[in-house]
């Protein structure tokens, strides 16, 4: 896929496949085009050219909400929680696609809407427990620490019951303890929810230890693709990182 | 500030108010103030009609347009289609409200789908233009009575206060509706879009659908209120759906508070009553009125009523940290 912003080519003919069930790392120096790649994959940014295929279907150009409905859920590098709402409401909101109450059913509590509402609340609490925020359910999202906000974003994405979870720098702003715990957490949710995980991360040890395969971007170009050890020894990667900002 | 804009809609009723005298009995008080009380509730409903699209983050000033449409529908039906001698049957009024609601919904879909592509202030401007277009059209159509408007709209109730029999239940029902909506799946989708449209989109919520839905809900309510108001005010003309009215209903939401439905209700009630309460100040009235609004806007930027106001009370009871 390719994406240009004016004269800048943020993503330049990058092509890769992600296999169901794997943890796939997307790394590269700042400005390499990783977030743009995520935006292309989730429909937030339309590609300048290229195709996006998911489970054999061409989903290029679909709006974000349709892609989300198909099972791709993401977090944002620059946290985009519903800041004025409670943690609980944040996680309730992304169960939208798995519920069906219309205006009247919801307002009057008719039909299945009542049990549906209870289930939504139950699921939301369960997910908050899972990310260790069960006791903070009623607090406003914008008042949380960086680490908690990132965890809440993951809970919100999981509430979509995705098949693919895209995490954009989930460890950013976390302390070393939290970073360590994050690796185990990502493995755990992958098992528990049978997920494919695509991960953007700067923290090299975390990526190397966690990912099955890694793609390396530099200035919008895919410079390496493979398992962690082969990528780590790839001269182009070493060059990019030594010459870059790390 | 335009909160005084409702003067002059009906000279006879205005005089009724002017004969106010402090030593009245409670009964007389209600008779004297019947017009004002009902007007306050109608304006609270208009505040809610602006609040609904705002729930989904859409700053629409279109309510007076649908209000005008609803009023014309009621005026035409009651004077031309189903003219009745004597008291106008309330069932007919209910039928008018239904037709006004349906017509407003249809128009809202036609207008909303293209207009809601616009954001923020551009949407506000487009909706003002919509109100203005409707006004000019109504000035030039024969069926709406042109510049003169439609007179002698029949009365379904004995006096002004008796309209409360219809308007108060309507206000309570709509408040219940919005209260429940805010706690339901669709309401949560609205609020998610208000908070962060892009994130809501990425969480599987179709922004366009829900924005149009919220806009249509506001339009239906404004149309229904218009149908009642046409009878209540006895005459209907192109001065009903104006830029002034747009600003009024926006003021209800901004001064009352835009983050809970209680805000626009309080805003509508208070801002409609305020010029009346300040009546004794005579000419100073409008200045004091404007001053109070300005002070309110500066010191209560979130409006009078915020969701935290309720949370604080209930949070303490629940013994939260
Ligand atoms: N919406 C946009 N408009 C213009 N330029 C953008 C936009 N989004 C990203 N870019 C540019 O594209 C390049 C890649 O950005 P990004 O994908 O965020 O990098 P990364 O996530 O790898 O740090 C950067 O030079 C950035 O400035
Ligand atoms: Mg990035």
């Amino acid at each position: 896929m390719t994406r240009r912003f004016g004269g800048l080519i943020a993503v330049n003919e990058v092509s890769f496949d992600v296999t169901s069930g794997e943890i796939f790392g997307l790394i590269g120096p700042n400005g390499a085009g990783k977030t743009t790649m995520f935006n292309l994959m989730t429909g937030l940014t339309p590609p300048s050219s290229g195709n996006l295929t998911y489970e054999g279907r061409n989903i290029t150009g679909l709006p974000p909400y349709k892609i989300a409905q198909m099972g791709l859920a993401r977090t944002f590098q620059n946290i985009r929680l519903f800041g004025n709402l409670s943690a609980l409401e944040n996680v309730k909101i992304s169960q939208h696609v798995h519920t069906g109450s219309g205006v009247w059913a919801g307002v009057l509590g008719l039909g299945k809407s009542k049990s549906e509402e209870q289930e939504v609340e139950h699921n939301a609490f369960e997910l908050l427990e899972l990310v260790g925020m069960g006791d903070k359910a009623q607090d406003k999202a914008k008042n949380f620490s960086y680490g908690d906000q990132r965890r809440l974003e993951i809970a919100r994405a999981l509430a979509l019951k995705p098949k693919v979870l895209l995490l954009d720098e989930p460890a950013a702003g976390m302390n070393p303890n939290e970073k360590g715990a994050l690796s185990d957490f990502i493995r755990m949710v992958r098992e528990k929810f049978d997920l494919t995980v695509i991960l953007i991360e700067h923290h090299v040890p975390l990526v190397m230890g966690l990912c099955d395969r890694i793609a390396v971007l530099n200035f919008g170009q895919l410079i390496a693709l493979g398992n962690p050890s082969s990528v780590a020894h790839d001269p182009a990667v070493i060059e990019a990182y030594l010459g870059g900002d790390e | 500030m335009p909160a005084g804009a409702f003067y002059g809609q009906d000279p006879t009723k205005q005089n009724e108010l002017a004969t106010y005298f402090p030593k009245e009995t409670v009964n007389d008080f209600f008779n004297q103030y019947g017009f004002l009380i009902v007007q306050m509730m109608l304006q609270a409903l208009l505040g809610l009609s602006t609040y609904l699209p705002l729930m989904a983050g859409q700053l629409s000033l279109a309510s007076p347009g649908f209000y005008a449409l609803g009023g014309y529908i009621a005026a035409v039906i009651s004077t031309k289609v189903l003219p009745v001698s004597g008291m106008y049957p309330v069932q007919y009024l209910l039928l008018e409200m239904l037709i006004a609601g349906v017509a407003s919904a249809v128009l809202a879909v036609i207008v909303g789908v293209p207009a809601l592509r616009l954001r923020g202030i551009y949407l506000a401007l487009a909706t003002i233009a919509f109100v203005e277009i409707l006004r000019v059209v109504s000035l030039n159509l024969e069926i709406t009575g042109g510049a003169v408007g439609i007179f002698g709209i029949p009365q379904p109730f004995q006096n002004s206060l008796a309209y409360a029999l219809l308007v108060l239940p309507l206000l309570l029902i709509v408040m219940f509706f919005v209260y429940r909506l805010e706690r339901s799946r669709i309401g949560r989708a609205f609020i998610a879009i208000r908070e962060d449209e892009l994130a809501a989109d990425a969480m599987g919520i179709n922004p366009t659908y829900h924005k149009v839905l919220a806009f249509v809900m506001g339009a239906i309510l404004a149309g229904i209120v218009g149908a009642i108001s046409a009878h209540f005010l006895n005459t209907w003309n192109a001065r009903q759906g104006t830029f002034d009215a747009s600003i009024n209903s926006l003021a209800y939401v901004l001064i009352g508070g835009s983050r809970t439905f209680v805000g626009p209700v309080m805003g509508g009630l208070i801002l409609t009553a305020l010029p009346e309460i300040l009546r004794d100040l005579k000419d100073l009235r409008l200045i004091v009125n404007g001053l109070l609004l300005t002070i309110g806007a500066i010191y209560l930027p979130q409006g009078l009523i915020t969701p935290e106001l309720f949370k604080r009370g209930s949070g303490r009871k629940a013994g939260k940290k």
Side-chain angles (χ1 to χ4, degrees), chain B residues 240-252:
Chain B
Q240 302 306 332
T242 61
F243 178 65
D244 268 10
S246 291
I247 298 304
N248 274 339
S249 61
L250 179 63
Y252 303 153

Side-chain angles (χ1 to χ4, degrees), chain B residues 149-163:
Chain B
I150 298 173
F151 282 104
I153 300 170
Q155 294 300 304
F157 297 106
Q158 294 284 357
N159 55 46
S160 293
L161 185 62
Y163 275 84

